Amino acid sequence: MSSQATVLAALASPRRREILRLVWKEELSAGTIHRAMPDVTFGAVSLQLRSLLEDGLVEARAESRRRFYRARREALGTFAEVLERMWDDKLWGLKLEAELEGSRRGPRPRRRRRKT
Amino acid sequence: MSSQATVLAALASPRRREILRLVWKEELSAGTIHRAMPDVTFGAVSLQLRSLLEDGLVEARAESRRRFYRARREALGTFAEVLERMWDDKLWGLKLEAELEGSRRGPRPRRRRRKT
DNA sequence: ACATCATTTTAGTTTTATCTAAAATAACGG
DNA sequence: CCGTTATTTTAGATAAAACTAAAATGATGT
């Protein structure tokens, strides 16, 4: 496992955590990862991928012009479970939020309101 | 427990981890904590203490002019064990180092080969 | 009230992290 | 070779974190 200090530093960034979550169970190309986080440039994502790669928290596989990344769960040791729990909690949080939103006023189901 | 994201952000800093380690099992005054890290000013330590306090990772008790801090292990959830493991590893590392040092001029112990 | 001790707070500086925009690389198909 | 696609890299901008020095606070003893 990478040094605990290294892992902690890497996991401190929400951006990197989000990337890890995306490539946790399946490998994804850099482009796909970027499409999932459209608030930053491709370059920014690529830099975070590099940093995760250098810390040994993801691995990359090249296939023609694409590069597929996936999490190296074994490099995370105990933190793997911590992250999973974290994401589960978040999911739970989102579900709860959705429920609350749905119940907010009677039978008017999936209707999304935008931030103003 | 404080939000996982908050805890991760807090633990990313070696300085804050060191403070936590110091006040893990016993409460210590701000001054004592500072004396244990003489490479920074008292002010810097105080700021980190405040940040840990705001994140709920330590608690403070005032006694006359001193302020005693101690870790709130329960706020760290799973991370408490992670940190302890981390410190144990470090201890192990230090012991190893001490052994190596001690054997540096003994009666020819097992020699360790370095990577070149 | 004054002096001292322990600590916090403020304001500004330095350092580090993260981001963008643009240029560079590399693989592929005409 | 050229143009397109996917990605990385570079250089510089912006933002956030950590630090310092000095001033401020607050409790204590005289």
Side-chain angles (χ1 to χ4, degrees):
Chain A
M1 170 179 175
S2 314
S3 113
Q4 316 252 34
T6 303
V7 176
L8 278 175
L11 297 187
S13 150
R15 188 75 67 194
R16 282 188 295 268
R17 285 201 303 268
E18 178 65 3
I19 291 176
L20 275 178
R21 193 180 63 78
L22 288 166
V23 301
W24 197 247
K25 310 213 142 150
E26 49 176 351
E27 57 172 20
L28 295 178
S29 73
T32 304
I33 295 166
H34 172 232
R35 263 166 250 128
M37 17 182 69
D39 56 318
V40 276
T41 61
F42 202 157
V45 172
S46 184
L47 287 171
Q48 297 288 27
L49 282 170
R50 175 158 72 144
S51 135
L52 286 167
L53 198 55
E54 281 169 357
D55 292 344
L57 302 191
V58 300
E59 57 190 351
R61 179 180 66 90
E63 183 183 312
S64 94
R65 9 190 164 172
R66 308 224 173 83
R67 265 190 136 76
F68 289 90
Y69 288 88
R70 75 174 166 204
R72 294 191 59 243
R73 301 171 54 150
E74 69 278 19
L76 284 151
T78 315
F79 293 101
E81 295 136 49
V82 172
L83 281 177
E84 286 183 338
R85 233 187 307 272
M86 194 168 167
W87 296 324
D88 286 353
D89 285 357
K90 201 162 217 163
L91 223 185
W92 176 84
L94 285 176
K95 271 185 190 152
L96 178 63
E97 198 186 346
E99 275 173 16
L100 287 175
E101 168 129 288
S103 68
R104 195 177 290 173
R105 43 167 184 155
R108 192 84 76 88
R110 51 207 131 73
R111 175 63 158 253
R112 280 244 173 183
R113 203 161 283 283
R114 298 211 172 279
K115 278 196 236 162
T116 44
Chain B
M1 169 179 174
S2 312
S3 113
Q4 317 250 36
T6 303
V7 176
L8 278 175
L11 297 188
S13 149
R15 189 75 66 193
R16 282 188 297 267
R17 284 200 305 269
E18 178 64 2
I19 291 177
L20 275 178
R21 191 178 64 78
L22 288 167
V23 301
W24 196 247
K25 311 213 142 150
E26 49 177 352
E27 56 173 20
L28 295 178
S29 73
T32 305
I33 295 166
H34 172 233
R35 262 165 250 128
M37 17 182 68
D39 55 319
V40 275
T41 62
F42 202 155
V45 172
S46 184
L47 287 171
Q48 296 289 26
L49 282 170
R50 175 158 75 145
S51 136
L52 286 167
L53 198 55
E54 282 168 358
D55 292 344
L57 302 190
V58 300
E59 56 189 354
R61 178 180 69 88
E63 182 183 311
S64 95
R65 8 192 162 173
R66 308 222 172 87
R67 246 142 197 279
F68 288 92
Y69 288 87
R70 74 174 166 204
R72 293 191 61 243
R73 301 171 54 151
E74 70 278 19
L76 284 152
T78 315
F79 293 101
E81 294 137 51
V82 171
L83 282 178
E84 286 183 338
R85 233 188 306 276
M86 194 168 168
W87 295 326
D88 286 354
D89 285 0
K90 200 161 221 163
L91 224 186
W92 176 84
L94 286 177
K95 271 185 192 152
L96 179 63
E97 200 185 344
E99 274 174 16
L100 288 174
E101 169 126 289
S103 69
R104 194 179 290 172
R105 47 167 184 152
R108 231 141 17 116
R110 309 172 206 79
R111 198 86 69 84
R112 280 241 171 190
R113 206 161 284 283
R114 298 208 173 282
K115 280 195 232 163
T116 44

